Amino acid sequence: MLHILYFVHDLADPAVRRRVLMLQAGGARVTLAGFRRDDNALAAIDGIEPIELGRTRDAQFAQRVAAVTRSAVKLRGALQSVARPDVIIGRNLEMLVLANRAKSIFGGDMPVVYECLDIHRLLLRDDMVGGALRAAERHFGSQASLLMTSSPAFVERYFRPRSGLELPIMLLENKVLALEPAASIVAPVARPPAAGEPWKIGWFGALRCRKSLALLDDFSRRMGGRFEIVLRGRPAYSQFDDFDRVVRDAPFIHFAGPYKNPEDLAGIYNDVQFSWAIDFFEEGLNSRWLLPNRLYEGGLHGAVPIAIDGTETARFLASRRIGLMLDTADATHLAALLGEMDEQRYLAAFEAVASQDRKQWMIDRADCHGLVQRLASLTRANEQITEVQALPQLHRNRGGLQ
């Protein structure tokens, strides 16, 4: 059984839980190590007791760097009870540093994988800070065997033209983890609102976009209750002036708390007609390039996605001729896009989403096995390289014996 040591930036992140479940479903044994930003019982994984390396704070890059530096010094002690892994994964740049440190502690030539699912804005700066961070990424990434990322735009806009990394790339989209047989997954059903009830837009997942919250509040007020905004997930409180107050004062916004992914997805998406697939966090950079979790979650469960023109999400939807496209990010244009919504128009948009091949929205057990097999192939490749490197010494020894 392939043993994977997985370093993560936030043990409370539901996406970390999903990745660990994927690796386990693929037949791997996972040792999880990382930092915690807050408590989230819904992110716990049965049978795994993570190695906690400390606490970090969201949007506090310097504090996180200091925490990683301290952990690197003490990492040998933290890993003393861990069996030698076959593969080490670092989830983002900070964790790649620890992954390389762990490799040196264990010795040998086990492969390191760099998993990067967001391009931090500091990496994109053209000043000394950005240059230094890209240099650090090249340094630590040079020791990796594989780069895993979640959007083609990350590759096209950053990794190939700017990062300087020369690694094999595996595209691993943020699809829904669906471990049950495909036949048991219920097909989505249209759910137009009952007479007198509002249309519902669901904004689910990592709630970190202040601009989206303000836009949706303004829009829903203009619509006078014809649209309700349902929020679910983990708010990044550091990104809002006062998230709780804004939601409390918004007459048509409802925050329904966190949820378990993937177990609760069907229930929460079946309660809405539309999915907010827009993110202005790090606007023009990472938010323009990403393909968010909610895109795949909503697609699988028949929620009509709303995207903004010019983004990778919009390109994804346009190529499939699905979803609704907002051309300008303000409440006036959103009202123009949705204000005349009726059942006929909704049903047409729903059918376009529901008719898509469901495989494009989800990862099944076969995909999980494929992922683990890809990681296992890295160990075989390293063994072959080691054998080739040993040949000159072998020939020299034979020459001495003759």
Side-chain angles (χ1 to χ4, degrees):
M1 178 180 287
L2 191 74
H3 177 204
I4 297 172
L5 175 57
Y6 190 21
F7 286 98
V8 303
H9 66 298
D10 184 5
L11 293 166
D13 186 348
V16 167
R17 176 179 183 267
R18 186 176 69 245
R19 181 70 79 239
V20 172
L21 292 176
M22 283 178 60
L23 294 170
Q24 290 178 324
R29 178 165 66 92
V30 181
T31 297
L32 182 62
F35 296 87
R36 188 175 296 279
R37 294 189 185 176
D38 57 34
D39 296 316
N40 180 13
L42 295 180
I45 307 163
D46 291 342
I48 287 190
E49 187 66 34
I51 300 169
E52 297 207 17
L53 302 176
R55 288 250 174 184
T56 56
R57 294 191 293 274
D58 188 37
Q60 298 290 325
F61 187 75
Q63 186 268 338
R64 297 203 305 271
V65 170
V68 169
T69 302
R70 289 192 299 270
S71 293
V73 173
K74 300 185 290 186
L75 193 60
R76 185 181 297 273
L79 298 178
Q80 62 183 352
S81 62
V82 176
R84 187 179 186 278
D86 300 303
V87 177
I88 306 175
I89 302 176
R91 188 181 176 102
N92 78 16
L93 179 54
E94 301 152 63
M95 297 301 100
L96 180 61
V97 174
L98 293 185
N100 283 321
R101 171 63 179 147
K103 178 177 178 177
S104 68
I105 289 172
F106 286 106
D109 60 349
M110 77 278 291
V112 169
V113 175
Y114 179 24
E115 182 180 30
C116 185
L117 307 179
D118 282 303
I119 311 298
H120 197 283
R121 65 185 181 278
L122 295 180
L123 283 166
L124 299 168
R125 285 171 51 163
D126 292 322
D127 57 11
M128 291 180 61
V129 172
L133 282 175
R134 289 191 296 275
E137 184 180 55
R138 286 193 298 273
H139 170 72
F140 292 107
S142 67
Q143 304 177 55
S145 299
L146 180 69
L147 167 66
M148 294 196 307
T149 192
S150 57
S151 171
F154 290 158
V155 179
E156 297 166 4
R157 300 298 187 90
Y158 176 71
F159 285 115
R160 284 183 178 151
R162 297 199 65 182
S163 73
L165 293 174
E166 297 182 1
L167 297 173
I169 297 175
M170 180 179 186
L171 185 64
L172 194 60
E173 296 173 74
N174 292 314
K175 296 182 180 182
V176 178
L177 182 60
L179 298 180
E180 299 301 321
S184 68
I185 299 175
V186 178
V189 177
R191 54 265 186 183
E197 293 295 316
W199 297 98
K200 293 183 180 180
I201 301 173
W203 179 23
F204 303 146
L207 308 177
R208 58 184 184 177
C209 180
R210 177 174 15 184
K211 185 172 179 177
S212 285
L213 183 61
L215 193 161
L216 290 168
D217 184 18
D218 188 1
F219 162 74
S220 60
R221 290 174 189 266
R222 292 186 184 210
M223 293 294 100
R226 285 190 58 226
F227 284 81
E228 178 183 337
I229 314 302
V230 182
L231 311 183
R232 295 291 302 260
R234 297 173 69 212
Y237 285 100
S238 62
Q239 303 302 322
F240 300 94
D241 293 331
D242 189 339
F243 175 86
D244 293 331
R245 179 189 58 76
V246 171
V247 171
R248 184 177 61 250
D249 294 345
F252 308 112
I253 293 181
H254 173 59
F255 176 51
Y259 59 93
K260 201 164 189 176
N261 187 338
E263 291 87 341
D264 295 340
L265 293 180
I268 65 173
Y269 278 98
N270 284 336
D271 187 47
V272 301
Q273 290 85 32
F274 306 98
S275 171
W276 187 252
I278 296 176
D279 188 340
F280 300 107
F281 181 70
E282 299 185 359
E283 188 172 2
L285 302 171
N286 186 76
S287 66
R288 193 177 188 89
W289 304 337
L290 58 74
L291 292 174
N293 295 318
R294 60 181 70 96
L295 170 66
Y296 302 92
E297 296 168 359
L300 181 62
H301 297 292
V304 177
I306 303 170
I308 190 157
D309 196 28
T311 62
E312 185 67 15
T313 300
R315 184 167 77 166
F316 178 100
L317 296 174
S319 69
R320 293 157 175 79
R321 298 184 178 181
I322 58 176
L324 301 173
M325 214 64 63
L326 180 64
D327 56 8
T328 303
D330 60 39
T332 299
H333 285 82
L334 185 57
L337 178 67
L338 296 179
E340 301 301 320
M341 183 60 61
D342 57 24
E343 184 168 329
Q344 182 178 359
R345 185 180 172 206
Y346 160 70
L347 290 176
F350 168 83
E351 289 298 334
V353 174
S355 64
Q356 297 292 306
D357 181 357
R358 306 192 75 201
K359 273 291 292 177
Q360 74 179 321
W361 307 121
M362 64 185 195
I363 288 176
D364 59 19
R365 286 190 180 274
D367 296 319
C368 295
H369 283 288
L371 169 60
V372 172
Q373 288 170 8
R374 178 72 177 90
L375 297 175
S377 72
L378 301 176
T379 66
R380 295 191 291 271
N382 274 14
E383 289 169 358
Q384 291 170 358
I385 291 172
T386 302
E387 290 172 1
V388 170
Q389 291 172 340
L391 284 176
Q393 181 64 41
L394 177 61
H395 287 313
R396 284 196 293 272
N397 290 342
R398 285 178 175 172
L401 290 172
Q402 290 176 346

